[in-house]
Amino acid sequence: MKQKSIGIIAEWNPFHRGHEAMVQEVRARFDNAFIMAVMSGPFVQRGEPALFDSWTRARWAAERGVDAVFALPVLYALQSADHFASFGVKLLVSMGAKVISFGTESLDEDDLWEAASFSLTDTHQKAFHKSLKEGLSYARASYEAMKSHSPFLADELSKPNNLLGFRYAEAILRNHFPMEIYVVHRDMDHNISASETRKDLLLRGDGSLLPSRSAVEAESLMKSGHFTDFSRFEDACLLHARLLSEKELSETGLFTEGLEHKWFKEMGNTDYKTMLSAIKSKRYLYSRLKRLGAQLLLSGRGSSPFTAPPPPSYARLLALRREKSSALRNISLPVITSMARAMKEAGESTRLSLAMDIRAGDVQAWCQASPRFRDGRQEFYHSPVIVD
């Protein structure tokens, strides 16, 4: 009998004890299910490289109960929250997942379905666009539109995990996917955040918020310099911005409303953070600008593939629990275990997506704190990690 597949969309930057608790709850609820995750690889949605490499993060998840971890293509990972959620859901559905599970601060399944259903109505769309025309930011316009239906839901959707769960439910309804959602409520009294975990590691080399075995390894990685030095990434983004003309910026298709002119004007700043701060506005938030800079760096010159990523066409395996290897036969998409073979044999859209993942991996490797770990083309040298 075919196992039920439970999907998780994750970044695990890095995989901490809160993530472990969520996986354990999913396992308790769906005892015999195949738990598979699609995880952001070299880059994460916030617009920068992950702290640690993809295979290490994927292995930590597999060691703590996830059956298989697949790469979320960078073309999907470096998108706004609504598109990140939509592409992630589409990939999981294409792989055969019947349930998507995620954590929220407070909202449950019924709340999320209600909010998502209302967001797709004409009433919501009219209220949303009216607020935009009045000069409100995207987030504020969304809040005001939802508030016209439910002040409670509007307030609760200001919390990041509630909002992401809402985006997952919205993507399922918009595309008429036969997928259920299963909510795991975060322990807000003992909440662990990925940003707090990264801060502890970067400032003090302290991995105590990770599961014990991962914590020891994470602290060792920090000591050896095998982690992302974000100052190197920021310098790379600033340098790349200076090498492009206004016309070349416009030709990428990444800029709207003349933003490329402001970008070009401010690229002479002494550092990248100052440049983005000078461009930031009510309409263009810092987080959006960071993603734009990362997309620009990875795209190079010409039309950017981030403007219209291809639909899901493959599942690239990063880590697998050996006992669940037979479940790979039930994955609906071709499973990629060799980058070299895939780049030779795959179709054009798959090769385009994989080529961007290779480039993202090269940038992350270049940003490593120690020169010992800056070798390029790592995507070709790593096989999926098998966990016993």
Side-chain angles (χ1 to χ4, degrees):
M1 182 178 177
K2 184 177 178 180
Q3 287 180 308
K4 191 169 190 175
S5 293
I6 313 299
I8 297 173
I9 301 171
E11 297 205 302
W12 292 329
N13 183 32
F15 187 91
H16 56 60
R17 287 189 278 113
H19 298 136
E20 180 185 29
M22 177 197 163
V23 171
Q24 289 175 346
E25 183 167 333
V26 174
R27 176 65 68 197
R29 171 63 179 81
F30 301 97
D31 183 32
N32 261 347
F34 178 64
I35 301 178
M36 60 181 180
V38 290
M39 184 193 79
S40 301
F43 273 70
V44 293
Q45 197 261 344
R46 60 190 281 123
E48 63 190 23
L51 182 60
F52 300 123
D53 68 77
S54 306
W55 301 277
T56 299
R57 289 156 47 228
R59 174 169 52 77
W60 286 345
E63 288 172 345
R64 306 313 298 173
V66 180
D67 292 320
V69 182
F70 298 86
L72 182 68
V74 72
L75 289 178
Y76 297 172
L78 273 178
Q79 297 286 345
S80 59
D82 53 341
H83 287 105
F84 173 91
S86 181
F87 283 124
V89 167
K90 288 177 182 177
L91 179 55
L92 283 177
V93 169
S94 298
M95 293 168 65
K98 299 302 181 185
V99 179
I100 179 173
S101 183
F102 48 86
T104 66
E105 291 90 351
S106 57
L107 297 183
D108 60 22
E109 290 88 348
D110 290 341
D111 294 326
L112 295 170
W113 286 131
E114 179 186 347
S117 296
F118 176 68
S119 75
L120 298 178
T121 64
D122 288 340
T123 301
H124 177 275
Q125 291 302 307
K126 288 178 182 177
F128 172 69
H129 289 293
K130 178 176 180 292
S131 294
L132 282 182
K133 289 179 181 177
E134 292 172 352
L136 297 184
S137 67
Y138 183 95
R140 189 66 193 181
S142 296
Y143 173 85
E144 293 297 333
M146 186 59 66
K147 186 178 178 181
S148 68
H149 169 70
S150 169
F152 165 75
L153 289 176
D155 287 339
E156 292 304 303
L157 289 176
S158 66
K159 300 171 182 176
N161 292 285
N162 284 344
L163 179 59
L164 193 54
F166 158 71
R167 294 299 185 192
Y168 294 146
E170 189 180 50
I172 292 168
L173 291 182
R174 179 181 288 114
N175 294 282
H176 307 288
F177 289 142
M179 178 179 259
E180 304 170 29
I181 62 176
Y182 177 69
V183 169
V184 175
H185 289 300
R186 297 172 70 107
D187 180 358
M188 300 309 294
D189 292 329
H190 306 89
N191 188 40
I192 300 173
S193 71
S195 58
E196 180 186 9
T197 306
R198 289 192 301 275
K199 183 178 178 180
D200 284 353
L201 285 164
L202 287 166
L203 293 182
R204 297 182 292 278
D206 178 11
S208 59
L209 294 180
L210 281 67
S212 56
R213 182 175 171 183
S214 305
V216 172
E217 184 178 356
E219 291 172 2
S220 175
L221 291 172
M222 297 302 294
K223 288 178 182 177
S224 66
H226 197 177
F227 67 93
T228 297
D229 177 349
F230 296 103
S231 66
R232 287 180 62 82
F233 172 67
E234 292 166 0
D235 286 347
C237 288
L238 182 60
L239 174 60
H240 183 68
R242 290 185 179 181
L243 296 177
L244 297 177
S245 66
E246 283 184 273
K247 181 173 182 292
E248 287 171 324
L249 290 173
S250 180
E251 287 172 349
T252 65
L254 294 171
F255 296 86
T256 58
E257 302 173 324
L259 182 62
E260 66 270 26
H261 305 306
K262 182 72 170 174
W263 193 275
F264 184 78
K265 176 184 176 183
E266 300 295 343
M267 69 183 185
N269 275 284
T270 55
D271 64 84
Y272 188 57
K273 288 179 180 176
T274 302
M275 171 188 164
L276 296 188
S277 295
I279 301 171
K280 184 173 73 71
S281 67
K282 183 168 63 175
R283 195 163 183 82
Y284 296 102
L285 301 180
Y286 191 76
S287 57
R288 181 178 177 183
L289 296 176
K290 279 188 67 177
R291 278 194 302 276
L292 181 54
Q295 291 172 341
L296 191 65
L297 176 64
L298 295 177
S299 299
R301 286 179 166 83
S303 178
S304 170
F306 284 97
T307 60
S313 59
Y314 64 92
R316 184 175 170 228
L317 184 65
L318 295 175
L320 173 71
R321 292 175 65 201
R322 190 183 301 276
E323 64 186 58
K324 293 299 183 76
S325 58
S326 62
L328 293 182
R329 294 195 292 267
N330 298 324
I331 301 293
S332 307
L333 292 176
V335 175
I336 291 177
T337 58
S338 167
M339 179 65 83
R341 187 183 312 120
M343 289 301 286
K344 289 180 181 178
E345 301 174 357
E348 182 178 356
S349 65
T350 295
R351 291 198 308 273
L352 168 65
S353 183
L354 291 174
M356 294 303 296
D357 284 342
I358 294 168
R359 187 173 295 186
D362 279 348
V363 171
Q364 188 192 34
W366 186 85
C367 293
Q368 293 301 287
S370 171
R372 292 191 297 137
F373 303 108
R374 293 178 189 164
D375 289 345
R377 291 299 188 259
Q378 291 299 306
E379 307 292 317
F380 287 96
Y381 301 136
H382 282 267
S383 299
V385 181
I386 307 301
V387 175
D388 291 316

